[in-house]
Amino acid sequence: MREELHQLMTIKPSDRLWQMPFAAALATGLPLLVGAFFNRMNYGLVSSLGGLVFLYLPATALYHRMVTLMACAFAMAACYTLGVISHFFPLLMMPVLIFIAILVTMVCRFYALGPPSSLFFIMAAAIGAYTPLQVLQVPLMVGLISMGALLAFLIAFFYSIYTLRFREPTPALPLPSPSFDFVVFDSVVIGIFVGISLALAQALQLHKAYWVPVSCLAVIQGASLRVVWTKQLHRVVGTGAGLLVAWGLLLLPLDKWTISLAVMVLTFVIEMTVVRHYAFAVTFITPLTILLVEAATLGQTPPAPLIQARFFDTLLGCLVGLVGGICLHSPGFRDLVGGQMRRLIPSRFVR
């Protein structure tokens, strides 16, 4: 208990500039302000999801930053598109999400993409899968998330030009040598447990259970079992506190303008604190995700069922992620399952 309390109370140092959280707030908040101006909050929310691409901005030279963001923008739009398409085929929703989780995790690991790694790509796919649409609306929604990613790209460009004047870029490190265990085995296990979390959510008939696989992925990606356990604990504690914050926000007379400003403030606080204390940041991540996904329908239903649903979603996802983390870091499991997987792959592809 003393060790767990120490982990919860430890605040890590950070050299993150305040301009970065401010630019991130603009990338996620400006689409909402545009949607509020045209009285189309649902459109603004989709574009705001594309604005999350800004968070993948590395601290490298300008050319490397822009190439990385362009690739991430394409991946975000592609994952959201596949998620939206799976909405029309409920039986394919879980296989599609497993496929996305495996493929995206493989690519992120192969190219050593840093945090948040595959998290937001899979979140975009999960949100898209639970977005009620008609077939003819799919191109519109894909265009909206692409426009949000384009805006984030432009903000990142001008932010980089400004900050590189007084801070030297870090060198782009050479890609690590890919290994079967790190790139393939881990990605397959992570994808399967993300799919299991979604299957359990569907079996329990949870309403809009997009947050279950996201919570599972956030926990299972820990570098060690200790990290998995710590992230699970931080996420549950932070979510509990965040739901209280969200409840307080939802009791306020929010309109389209105050929702947009609240998203910008929450994004700024999260990006200022997430590298210092994960549980504290999750306290604000929870109300942010509720606003990003539910803003278009807020006020139509009482907040209590929504708050309760998000808590159970997080708890279920964290439990599945913890079980997945135990399997992922178990030598016996890796030897047994990894050996069977190697038999299915031609020897020239296995290192």
Side-chain angles (χ1 to χ4, degrees):
M1 290 298 295
R2 187 181 298 112
E3 177 64 22
E4 299 303 331
L5 289 175
H6 175 72
Q7 292 286 341
L8 283 172
M9 299 299 293
T10 300
I11 299 177
K12 301 176 182 178
S14 172
D15 60 349
R16 177 171 287 185
L17 300 172
W18 68 266
Q19 290 91 344
M20 186 273 175
F22 179 75
L26 290 179
T28 56
L30 286 180
L32 290 176
L33 292 174
V34 175
F37 179 79
F38 290 103
N39 200 27
R40 286 286 190 175
M41 282 297 291
N42 54 336
Y43 291 176
L45 291 170
V46 177
S47 291
S48 181
L49 190 61
L52 294 174
V53 168
F54 179 87
L55 301 179
Y56 288 94
L57 184 69
T60 52
L62 183 61
Y63 78 92
H64 188 264
R65 295 183 183 207
M66 298 300 100
V67 171
T68 301
L69 278 198
M70 282 191 290
C72 291
F74 172 79
M76 183 75 78
C79 291
Y80 180 79
T81 302
L82 291 175
V84 168
I85 292 175
S86 71
H87 172 77
F88 302 103
F89 307 95
L91 293 178
L92 294 179
M93 186 181 296
M94 185 180 67
V96 167
L97 191 62
I98 292 176
F99 170 76
I100 293 173
I102 293 175
L103 182 61
V104 171
T105 305
M106 282 184 180
V107 173
C108 289
R109 290 183 170 228
F110 184 86
Y111 288 102
L113 186 66
S117 190
S118 59
L119 179 64
F120 289 134
F121 303 123
I122 296 174
M123 186 176 80
I127 291 176
Y130 282 93
T131 301
L133 295 174
Q134 296 181 357
V135 175
L136 295 180
Q137 293 179 294
V138 173
L140 172 62
M141 294 302 169
V142 175
L144 288 171
I145 195 171
S146 301
M147 291 174 65
L150 174 60
L151 176 62
F153 180 87
L154 294 175
I155 292 174
F157 177 74
F158 290 109
Y159 162 79
S160 298
I161 291 178
Y162 173 75
T163 56
L164 287 174
R165 296 186 308 162
F166 53 86
R167 173 171 286 192
E168 289 292 326
T170 59
L173 299 176
L175 295 179
S177 178
S179 66
F180 175 85
D181 285 342
F182 182 71
V183 177
V184 179
F185 176 79
D186 287 5
S187 300
V188 171
V189 173
I190 289 172
I192 289 175
F193 273 94
V194 167
I196 290 174
S197 68
L198 180 62
L200 289 176
Q202 292 177 338
L204 296 174
Q205 299 182 349
L206 300 181
H207 180 62
K208 289 186 177 182
Y210 59 88
W211 200 238
V212 176
V214 175
S215 298
C216 174
L217 181 68
V219 170
I220 198 175
Q221 288 192 122
S224 65
L225 185 57
R226 175 67 200 181
V227 174
V228 170
W229 168 258
T230 301
K231 290 192 72 173
Q232 182 255 172
L233 180 62
H234 279 227
R235 195 161 192 89
V236 172
V237 172
T239 298
L243 290 175
L244 295 177
V245 176
W247 197 322
L249 282 175
L250 296 178
L251 292 177
L252 298 175
L254 298 175
D255 59 15
K256 56 187 180 181
W257 298 107
T258 54
I259 289 175
S260 303
L261 294 176
V263 167
M264 297 178 73
V265 172
L266 289 171
T267 302
F268 181 84
V269 174
I270 291 167
E271 294 308 312
M272 281 292 293
T273 59
V274 69
V275 292
R276 294 179 171 87
H277 196 280
Y278 185 66
F280 184 80
V282 172
T283 302
F284 299 95
I285 291 174
T286 303
L288 175 65
T289 55
I290 291 176
L291 291 179
L292 281 177
V293 181
E294 308 289 346
T297 58
L298 289 180
Q300 300 178 10
T301 57
L306 178 61
I307 298 296
Q308 186 180 24
R310 291 295 79 81
F311 178 76
F312 284 115
D313 291 348
T314 302
L315 185 61
L316 178 61
C318 288
L319 290 176
V320 176
L322 179 60
V323 174
I326 293 173
C327 294
L328 198 61
H329 298 286
S330 168
F333 181 85
R334 298 183 74 89
D335 292 340
L336 176 63
V337 180
Q340 298 299 322
M341 288 178 57
R342 287 175 185 271
R343 295 182 179 180
L344 302 176
I345 300 176
S347 58
R348 65 180 182 273
F349 294 133
V350 179
R351 296 184 181 179

